[in-house]
C-alpha cells in the first residue's frame, strides 16, 4: 500500500514503518489495576519514540517530542500517541520534523478527519503517508529542520537561513499536492 509520488520518493503508511500506541488515561481500569513497573514496561516511552498530542493538527501548535533519554520512564496520558519508528527505515528526528512541518489542512484532508476537533486516532495516524527518502537524506533534512524551525515568518528578510527553510518547505509541503 505504498505510493510513489513527487520524483520517485516513496510514500509509506506510517503503520508499515513504525509501531503506534496510545498513552494511558489515569481514569482507565488499566491504570488503577496495574503496578507501576508494569505500566512503565508496557506504556512507557523508549529512546527514539516520538510523542504527539491527538490534537496536533487542530491547535495550531504542532509539537512532536522526540525521546532522547530514558533515565526517567514517562507514561504519556490518554490524549497522546506514541510512535516507535523502525529506525532501519525511518530516522526519528526526520519523523519529528515531518509531523511538525506538514501543513495541518493537508493532514486533515489526507486522513479525512471529520470530527470538529480534528482529533487523530491511532487508526487514522497509521494511514498517514510519510515521504521516505534514503536514511542519508532523512538525516540531512532533519538536520536542516533543526536549524530553521524557529524561522520568523514576519521577518523573513532578516533570517540568514531562509533558503534552507524554503527548500524544506518545498520538500515537505508539496508532499500532498
Amino acid at each position: 500500500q505504498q505510493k510513489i509520488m513527487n520524483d520517485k520518493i516513496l510514500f509509506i503508511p506510517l503503520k508499515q514503518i513504525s509501531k503506534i500506541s496510545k498513552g494511558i488515561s489515569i481514569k482507565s481500569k488499566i491504570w488503577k489495576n496495574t503496578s507501576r513497573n508494569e505500566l512503565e514496561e508496557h506504556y512507557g516511552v523508549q529512546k527514539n519514540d516520538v510523542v504527539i498530542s491527538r490534537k496536533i493538527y487542530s491547535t495550531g501548535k504542532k509539537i512532536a517530542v522526540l525521546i532522547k533519554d530514558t533515565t526517567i520512564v514517562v507514561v504519556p496520558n490518554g490524549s497522546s500517541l506514541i510512535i516507535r519508528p523502525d529506525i532501519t527505515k525511518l530516522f526519528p528526528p526526520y519523523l519529528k520534523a515531518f509531523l511538525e512541518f506538514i501543513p495541518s489542512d493537508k493532514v486533515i484532508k489526507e486522513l479525512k478527519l471529520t470530527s470538529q476537533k480534528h482529533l487523530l486516532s491511532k487508526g487514522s495516524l497509521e494511514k498517514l503517508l510519510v515521504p521516505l527518502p534514503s536514511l542519508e537524506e532523512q538525516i540531512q533534512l532533519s538536520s536542516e529542520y533543526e536549524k530553521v524551525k524557529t524561522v520568523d515568518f514576519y521577518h523573513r528578510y532578516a533570517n540568514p537561513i531562509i533558503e534552507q527553510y524554503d527548500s524544506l518547505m518545498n520538500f515537505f509541503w508539496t508532499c500532498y499536492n
Side-chain angles (χ1 to χ4, degrees):
Q1 200 184 31
Q2 3 184 37
K3 292 182 181 180
I4 296 179
M5 298 160 69
N6 294 353
D7 298 328
K8 310 256 189 253
I9 292 175
L10 201 58
F11 279 63
I12 309 276
L14 192 53
K15 72 177 177 183
Q16 291 182 15
I17 49 177
S18 66
K19 178 183 173 222
I20 302 170
S21 57
K22 293 197 279 189
I24 186 168
S25 168
I26 58 171
K27 294 179 182 178
S28 76
K29 290 180 183 176
I30 295 169
W31 181 268
K32 294 174 182 171
N33 300 326
T34 308
S35 74
R36 178 187 176 117
N37 286 343
E38 289 174 309
L39 283 172
E40 288 179 354
E41 184 179 323
H42 295 292
Y43 298 96
V45 295
Q46 296 177 9
K47 184 177 180 176
N48 292 323
D49 284 356
V50 176
V51 181
I52 62 171
S53 162
R54 292 180 59 218
K55 297 179 180 180
I56 187 172
Y57 295 111
S58 62
T59 62
K61 295 177 183 174
K62 295 187 292 186
I63 299 171
V65 178
L66 174 63
I67 307 302
K68 294 181 179 179
D69 181 8
T70 56
T71 52
I72 298 174
V73 177
V74 175
V75 178
N77 69 19
S79 66
S80 300
L81 291 168
I82 305 157
I83 307 163
R84 185 160 297 145
D86 174 347
I87 59 172
T88 64
K89 298 176 185 167
L90 183 59
F91 187 56
Y94 171 81
L95 174 62
K96 174 187 181 337
F98 173 72
L99 291 169
E100 289 183 345
F101 212 74
I102 189 167
S104 298
D105 60 328
K106 293 191 184 296
V107 174
I108 290 166
K109 182 180 173 189
E110 173 73 18
L111 298 179
K112 299 175 179 73
L113 300 177
T114 55
S115 74
Q116 201 167 20
K117 294 182 180 177
H118 302 300
L119 290 178
L120 282 174
S121 67
K122 177 183 168 195
S124 64
L125 186 61
E126 287 175 338
K127 296 174 190 169
L128 183 63
L129 293 175
V130 178
L132 212 60
S134 69
L135 278 173
E136 293 79 20
E137 289 176 277
Q138 291 178 40
I139 291 167
Q140 173 70 30
L141 286 165
S142 56
S143 173
E144 289 175 21
Y145 176 73
E146 284 304 309
K147 293 175 192 168
V148 301
K149 68 182 180 180
T150 57
V151 168
D152 180 349
F153 291 107
Y154 300 106
H155 299 95
R156 290 173 57 95
Y157 61 86
N159 197 313
I161 51 178
I162 205 65
E163 254 181 61
Q164 284 182 315
Y165 178 86
D166 288 341
S167 168
L168 272 175
M169 183 176 72
N170 186 43
F171 178 81
F172 284 122
W173 290 21
T174 57
C175 290
Y176 287 94
N177 284 341

